[in-house]
Amino acid sequence: MFAERFKKKLMLQRQAGLYREPPEIKAREGKYIVIGNKKVLNFASNDYLGLGVSKEIKEKVAENFNKYGSSSSSSRLVSGNYSIILRAEEEYAEHFNYDEALFFPSGYQSNLGVLSTLFEKGDTIIFDKHIHASSVKGMTLSKAAYYGYNHNSLPHLCKRLEGKKGKPAAVLTESLFSMDGDLLDVQAFKALKKRFGFLSIIDEAHAFGAMGEKGRGIARDAADIAVGTFGKALGLFGAFVLLPAGFKEYLVNFSSPLIYTTTLPEAHAASAIDILKIVAQREDLRESLYKISAVMKKGLMDEGFKVKGDAHILALEIGEENRAAETARRLFEKNIFVFPARYPTVPVNKAIFRIGMTAMHTKEDVKYFIDMLKMCLKNNNEY
Ligand SMILES: Cc1ncc(COP(=O)(O)O)c(C=O)c1O
């Protein structure tokens, strides 16, 4: 029964150009990855500052695992509530200017854990229609009522809020959107927050570390709760949630995705502290990231491509799913790796190349990418 069902559904995925078959990565060398016998330039990474491949961090993380061992061997609520984790959470709360912080094993789990726990039947959540899948999952598990507003349209959010006036409401959004690459208008959002008094939860997964003074992201002014991941600009793994007073105690007591999982090891917390110090100091990397991202965007626009994105995530419009997959395949032949984001990550027939810029990319890399993109589309009479 299962074999038949799987076969049928996988065949439909293939026909729709949606079949996923992640390539085997044999090695990672800075901005390159090795796939098969090819070393390709990676434009599909979230290692925005290059810290995930930095020697300094590699050594610190190795030292920490050597010192503390490989596992916490327990959930936080059983015997995993180590001092170093509590200290790291305090340092994150202080750095990002929140009352409290709570670490989760992943960003997915933190969105699931926070949203499914804080809200319940009778609450109303209003959300940007392009928030991450993990937030959607958390929100739907909560049993609250939820209403979407058009992506990054604050006038539409305002309409939604007027419709729900008087009712308690939370609003979910991102500061730098993971697929569209556009930024939340933080000041306008803050004004709405002031007017309607909702609880705001802003996912800063792609902004923390990479944007803002000392890597503090861009939405502190407007966020009651912020979600950050270690697996992107911070070059580690796991996630942290930044909270107002009282929320941590509640989550520790009621959040199933936190209670029933092995906590990240002490070595992770010690590494998180080391990384925070490095990230705070590396304005130079943030500056390089900002500049090279602008060079890529301008270069693509000058060549007539439709490209969106206000920072280091650029969304290059491709359209039909099979076209996106085929163009990515041709770029791979030219030693370029780029992610063709397709449904359900983006809407049907609106496939994009999600170009992830990093501080490791150079102007030469950008020129090569654009030249090869033109060539791949030209050979197919599409440019
Ligand atoms: C906006 C956003 N939130 C959360 C996550 C999940 O984070 P993690 O990869 O740590 O599970 C991602 C990652 O893909 C993301 O893009």
Side-chain angles (χ1 to χ4, degrees), residues 46 105-111 131-135 174 176-179 203-206 227-232 237-239 354:
N46 299 320
S106 76
Y108 192 100
Q109 238 167 303
S110 55
N111 278 328
I131 52 169
H132 192 255
S134 54
S135 295
E174 295 178 13
L176 166 58
F177 280 87
S178 62
M179 283 293 145
D203 188 333
E204 292 226 62
H206 295 273
V227 175
T229 64
F230 289 109
K232 303 189 194 298
F237 53 89
R354 180 198 183 274

Side-chain angles (χ1 to χ4, degrees), residues 366-381:
V366 167
K367 183 174 179 326
Y368 184 68
F369 177 86
I370 295 174
D371 287 347
M372 291 306 109
L373 181 66
K374 278 163 52 187
M375 184 188 283
C376 290
L377 293 173
K378 197 176 256 168
N379 287 347
N380 207 31
N381 295 324

Side-chain angles (χ1 to χ4, degrees), residues 44-297:
S45 169
N46 299 320
D47 190 10
Y48 301 125
L49 302 181
L51 299 183
V53 288
S54 97
K55 189 163 176 285
E56 188 185 9
I57 289 182
K58 212 189 273 181
E59 284 172 0
K60 288 209 183 290
V61 172
E63 259 171 45
N64 289 325
F65 273 96
N66 208 13
K67 178 171 170 191
Y68 291 100
S70 52
S71 175
S72 71
S73 308
S74 160
S75 92
R76 191 77 182 261
L77 275 83
V78 180
S79 64
N81 200 35
Y82 291 99
S83 323
I84 188 80
I85 303 179
L86 293 169
R87 214 185 90 213
E89 287 175 340
E90 274 167 26
E91 294 205 13
Y92 271 70
E94 193 183 327
H95 179 80
F96 290 97
N97 191 24
Y98 286 77
D99 294 323
E100 292 176 318
L102 184 59
F103 286 5
F104 278 80
S106 76
Y108 192 100
Q109 238 167 303
S110 55
N111 278 328
L112 202 69
V114 169
L115 302 176
S116 66
T117 309
L118 293 188
F119 303 108
E120 51 195 41
K121 200 162 180 232
D123 291 335
T124 303
I125 302 175
I126 303 187
F127 66 101
D128 185 294
K129 284 184 185 168
H130 286 195
I131 52 169
H132 192 255
S134 54
S135 295
V136 174
K137 188 58 95 184
M139 178 178 76
T140 51
L141 283 176
S142 76
K143 302 205 173 65
Y146 46 85
Y147 305 90
Y149 64 93
N150 294 340
H151 172 55
N152 226 353
S153 166
L154 296 190
H156 195 215
L157 168 60
C158 185
K159 242 187 192 169
R160 284 273 188 243
L161 289 163
E162 279 165 351
K164 298 284 141 214
K165 217 170 176 180
K167 284 194 182 176
V171 176
L172 314 182
T173 185
E174 295 178 13
S175 60
L176 166 58
F177 280 87
S178 62
M179 283 293 145
D180 306 85
D182 52 346
L183 297 171
L184 175 72
D185 181 342
V186 175
Q187 291 314 316
F189 186 85
K190 186 181 168 187
L192 287 179
K193 180 171 160 48
K194 197 167 167 208
R195 182 170 155 208
F196 293 98
F198 53 79
L199 179 86
S200 62
I201 303 185
I202 304 188
D203 188 333
E204 292 226 62
H206 295 273
F208 280 153
M211 299 183 80
E213 199 203 344
K214 301 196 172 174
R216 290 188 179 112
I218 57 167
R220 179 61 190 109
D221 267 5
D224 294 313
I225 295 176
V227 175
T229 64
F230 289 109
K232 303 189 194 298
L234 302 182
L236 194 63
F237 53 89
F240 54 100
V241 181
L242 300 160
L243 300 157
F247 280 64
K248 182 169 174 173
E249 182 189 4
Y250 190 76
L251 290 170
V252 166
N253 277 276
F254 294 109
S255 183
S256 174
L258 178 83
I259 296 170
Y260 298 104
T261 195
T262 301
T263 192
L264 290 174
E266 289 167 280
H268 173 274
S271 304
I273 293 173
D274 291 335
I275 287 171
L276 191 60
K277 288 190 194 109
I278 295 167
V279 163
Q281 289 163 5
R282 297 305 303 266
E283 292 310 337
D284 58 327
L285 293 178
R286 279 184 282 280
E287 178 80 13
S288 303
L289 176 63
Y290 176 79
K291 283 188 177 154
I292 198 68
S293 305
V295 170
M296 177 63 105
K297 185 172 180 188

